[in-house]
Amino acid sequence: MIRNYDKLIFELSKEGRMGYSLPKNEFEGYCMCCGIPAHLKRETTPELPQVTEFDVVRHYTNLSNKNFGVDTGFYPLGSCTMKYNPRINEEMAAHPAFTQLHPDAPTECAQGALEVYYNLAASLSELSGLSAFTLNPYAGAHGELTGLMIMRKYHMLRGDHKRTKVIVPDSAHGTNPASAAVCGLQIVEVKSTAKGTVDVEALKPLLDDTVAGIMMTNPNTLGIFETEIPEIAKLVHECGGLLYYDGANLNAVLGKCRPGDMGFDIMHINLHKTFSTPHGGGGPGDGPVGVRAGLEHLLPNPQVKKNEQGIFYLTTDEESAGCVSGFLGNFAVIVRAYTYILTLGRENVKMVGPLAVLNANYVKESLKNEYYLPIEGVCKHEFVFDGLADKSTGVTTLDIAKRLLDYGYHAPTIYFPLLFHQSIMIEPTETESKETLDEFIAVMKKVAQEAAETPDVVKAAPYNTPVRRLDETTAARFPKTTYKQMKG
Ligand SMILES: *Cc1c(COP(=O)(O)O)cnc(C)c1O
């Protein structure tokens, strides 16, 4: 049975019902019933649902409970790193000293906030082995664009205008070629080997004096560590290009190795993945960009600096790649990331990578009889199955993802990377307990068993969600959000 408060708020509307009334305004020139100045009042009443306050409270509270989040259940979304966000992060981010600071406040009134920015940038430099960071970009993709603008500016300032190509591996996250295109660069794809790593032999013929650089993700989107990086770095640098590191999910290597030491020149990090801020539906995020020594002046304006007296100030550099954001990044995300690093401390940050890798390998090895593992061997923080081991019943990756919703799990990333037809990409993260992983493994095995014994049950899933299978594109592109659209 559909409960009243499971309905859409529009459906609860009853002519003349009211949730709230304002005191009568008896002054001249104002509307008696709502107090709005008469000349500002609409001529016709807007079409809004007419409901009681109680209806509204129940409606939105129940709606919030239908939302799946990392606080409600396991979220094994590969390539997205949905990890636990300690509550102290939220407390710090909500501190009035930060939330009530005006973005245009003069720097002498914003010293504390600038110190947080400066110290986080310094921590990221140390963790990644790069010389300097900007925290200004608002997301991973925005960081990629910023990094590529730096790459382009670097070549331009040397008068090397021919370099318009960026090499991107076929396993790359979709934002890599998209950012390169937005930056006005041409994309050249390099193939992966059967082991899932960049094919050095395929790379060699692509390297010439038109190459601006290469974008790499390590571990790559298959969760595999790129072992040929020293060779790749040598080849790309010899041809005059730069190496860009997509460090969206840096948790696999945190505390173990550093992109700067591998030979990378520019990188971005997703604070909203590696450093805990949960994200969904496009935000909130922050995508700091780091550069090796010698490229610092190309970072976007403004930059946060500290003088000898310990005073923080902003600088702009004429040679900078530009300005990429209105203010100094997504500040609340910066506060959360800084809090996260401080609460872990130097010792525990080193455990992030090993635990992320252990958890991923534990899940992978436990499920590889039921699900087809196209690339064997030790993975890093995530791994990819190519559908079920037994595909004879026609149960697809989409069916498996839908069935997991019935069991209270967020679906893994599906149909990405594009290297396989039935990709299921799983990232447990370092913050889950063995018990949670064991439960997930048991459910994944159960779904595989159902697929073999009662495939039609899996093909028609989900059953327990508020809505069943949707046309997801239409639902996302053309949501009906107003009373008028509902009625029309
Ligand atoms: C998430 C991700 C990105 C893009 O980050 P956004 O913040 O979503 O723009 C880029 N590369 C990789 C490998 C990612 O996982």
Side-chain angles (χ1 to χ4, degrees):
M1 199 185 84
I2 297 185
R3 294 173 308 180
N4 221 13
Y5 37 82
D6 279 337
K7 289 185 184 160
L8 295 168
I9 194 86
F10 309 121
E11 296 174 294
L12 298 176
S13 185
K14 281 270 176 312
E15 186 74 34
R17 192 162 281 176
M18 259 212 264
Y20 209 77
S21 51
L22 294 164
K24 288 211 179 337
N25 188 335
E26 289 172 11
F27 290 102
E28 210 178 310
Y30 291 86
C31 168
M32 276 269 284
C33 25
C34 63
I36 292 175
H39 71 281
L40 294 179
K41 211 177 144 148
R42 288 169 183 265
E43 277 162 22
T44 50
T45 26
E47 261 186 285
L48 292 173
Q50 303 183 39
V51 285
T52 67
E53 182 171 340
F54 210 1
D55 284 337
V56 174
V57 168
R58 280 188 176 153
H59 174 75
Y60 284 107
T61 307
N62 283 293
L63 205 58
S64 75
N65 288 338
K66 285 180 187 142
N67 201 14
F68 193 99
V70 75
D71 286 347
T72 48
F74 185 49
Y75 212 127
L77 202 60
S79 188
C80 287
T81 311
M82 287 290 197
K83 65 169 73 166
Y84 179 58
N85 175 50
R87 282 301 165 268
I88 190 170
N89 295 356
E90 294 303 313
E91 253 177 73
M92 292 301 124
H95 196 291
F98 296 130
T99 56
Q100 292 183 13
L101 191 62
H102 195 282
D104 276 326
T107 52
E108 47 288 19
C109 304
Q111 286 293 302
L114 293 175
E115 183 171 358
V116 168
Y117 184 109
Y118 184 90
N119 287 355
L120 178 61
S123 304
L124 297 179
S125 286
E126 190 169 336
L127 287 166
S128 63
L130 290 167
S131 170
F133 265 86
T134 175
L135 313 182
N136 298 6
Y138 292 126
H142 195 194
E144 290 169 25
L145 175 63
T146 306
L148 291 168
M149 285 163 65
I150 291 170
M151 186 184 280
R152 205 181 51 183
K153 190 78 192 231
Y154 162 81
H155 293 303
M156 296 285 226
L157 287 174
R158 294 183 311 115
D160 196 348
H161 299 283
K162 284 196 302 294
R163 296 190 183 267
T164 54
K165 289 186 195 150
V166 166
I167 300 173
V168 180
D170 57 3
S171 63
H173 193 271
T175 50
N176 289 192
S179 305
V182 169
C183 196
L185 296 160
Q186 277 164 270
I187 297 118
V188 182
E189 192 177 87
V190 59
K191 294 261 167 294
S192 300
T193 63
K195 283 192 314 190
T197 52
V198 168
D199 188 339
V200 178
E201 290 313 312
L203 175 65
K204 282 179 185 166
L206 306 177
L207 295 171
D208 59 28
D209 62 0
T210 62
V211 170
I214 184 169
M215 295 181 90
M216 288 187 67
T217 308
N218 188 35
N220 62 30
T221 62
L222 295 166
I224 294 173
F225 197 86
E226 295 278 356
T227 46
E228 304 303 318
I229 286 189
E231 172 73 1
I232 294 172
K234 189 170 152 278
L235 291 169
V236 174
H237 283 149
E238 272 173 7
C239 100
L242 296 182
L243 274 87
Y244 183 91
Y245 187 102
D246 178 337
N249 312 283
L250 201 63
N251 48 339
V253 298
L254 213 54
K256 277 287 159 194
C257 57
R258 310 190 304 171
D261 301 335
M262 297 174 202
F264 285 90
D265 304 287
I266 310 169
M267 78 175 295
H268 84 268
I269 298 174
N270 281 22
L271 293 185
H272 49 293
K273 290 178 180 170
T274 305
F275 296 104
S276 82
T277 298
H279 54 285
D286 202 73
V289 171
V291 292
R292 68 156 160 80
L295 300 179
E296 298 93 335
H297 60 297
L298 302 175
L299 286 170
N301 289 325
Q303 290 194 43
V304 178
K305 299 268 173 66
K306 180 159 99 170
N307 71 16
E308 277 162 15
Q309 288 81 47
I311 309 286
F312 298 94
Y313 61 102
L314 300 181
T315 60
T316 52
D317 197 302
E318 265 178 35
E319 296 199 329
S320 156
C323 179
V324 296
S325 54
F327 297 99
L328 296 170
N330 232 342
F331 196 70
V333 180
I334 291 172
V335 175
R336 288 187 189 98
Y338 186 51
T339 309
Y340 190 65
I341 291 175
L342 287 185
T343 42
L344 285 181
R346 202 175 277 275
E347 278 313 301
N348 295 314
V349 157
K350 289 189 191 142
M351 290 306 294
V352 168
L355 289 176
V357 171
L358 178 64
N359 282 359
N361 280 284
Y362 180 65
V363 175
K364 170 175 68 72
E365 291 301 311
S366 306
L367 289 173
K368 70 177 192 185
N369 289 333
E370 288 80 8
Y371 295 86
Y372 178 59
L373 184 65
I375 298 177
E376 287 272 358
V378 180
C379 65
K380 289 293 170 286
H381 61 303
E382 64 193 5
F383 58 91
V384 181
F385 286 130
D386 186 7
L388 284 160
D390 172 11
K391 295 190 177 56
S392 64
T393 57
V395 171
T396 64
T397 281
L398 181 69
D399 303 328
I400 295 160
K402 295 291 182 195
R403 189 63 177 139
L404 280 173
L405 305 181
D406 281 334
Y407 289 110
Y409 289 88
H410 194 282
T413 298
I414 56 172
Y415 299 107
F416 176 82
L418 306 175
L419 294 176
F420 312 112
H421 292 300
Q422 294 290 329
S423 289
I424 306 175
M425 187 187 210
I426 296 174
E427 177 182 5
T429 81
E430 68 278 10
T431 58
E432 295 295 344
S433 68
K434 178 164 180 296
E435 287 73 15
T436 302
L437 300 183
D438 283 336
E439 277 175 27
F440 175 68
I441 290 163
V443 166
M444 285 289 283
K445 287 188 185 215
K446 181 142 198 266
V447 173
Q449 191 188 350
E450 287 177 342
E453 292 169 2
T454 51
D456 289 341
V457 168
V458 185
K459 285 180 192 173
Y463 304 91
N464 304 336
T465 47
V467 286
R468 304 278 301 275
R469 287 203 189 194
L470 298 172
D471 174 344
E472 288 171 8
T473 311
T474 308
R477 297 270 156 84
F478 307 103
K480 288 187 177 161
T481 54
T482 69
Y483 196 29
K484 254 195 196 142
Q485 284 173 333
M486 271 305 297
K487 296 206 301 187

